[in-house]
Amino acid sequence: MIHINYGHAKRRCPERPKCMYCSKRRVWMAFTYFGAPVCKECWDGTWRKTEDGECDPPFDAITHEQSGEWITS
C-alpha cells in the first residue's frame, strides 16, 4: 500500500471552523496540506496565488474529501 498526499482537500464541517485568513466560519472549507481551513473566497483569492501563478485547483474543482488516499496494488 502507498499513501498519496494531494496537498489539499475540501469537506463539509458541521462545526464550522474559522478560515485561517479572514476568520469567517463556513460549513464547506478547503484544507491546506498542513490542515488549515480556508473558505472559498480566500482559497480562490489568496491561497492559490503564488509568484509562479495558480498552483492548486479552484475551490469548486476540489474533489478530494481527504488530503490523501491509500493505493493498493
Side-chain angles (χ1 to χ4, degrees):
M1 293 179 73
I2 299 171
H3 188 259
I4 304 299
N5 182 13
Y6 299 125
H8 57 266
K10 181 174 70 175
R11 50 185 186 267
R12 190 174 190 280
C13 306
E15 72 277 6
R16 296 178 181 249
K18 283 185 184 178
C19 174
M20 72 176 217
Y21 287 105
C22 68
S23 296
K24 289 181 183 174
R25 294 182 182 270
R26 299 280 189 253
V27 172
W28 279 96
M29 297 291 263
F31 289 83
T32 66
Y33 60 90
F34 57 88
V38 182
C39 71
K40 175 182 175 17
E41 293 81 15
C42 292
W43 180 270
D44 288 339
T46 305
W47 177 260
R48 296 180 61 226
K49 309 298 181 184
T50 65
E51 293 176 1
D52 300 330
E54 297 172 345
C55 56
D56 287 323
F59 185 92
D60 291 334
I62 300 172
T63 58
H64 311 303
E65 292 182 6
Q66 300 178 13
S67 62
E69 68 179 278
W70 290 97
I71 306 296
T72 59
S73 56

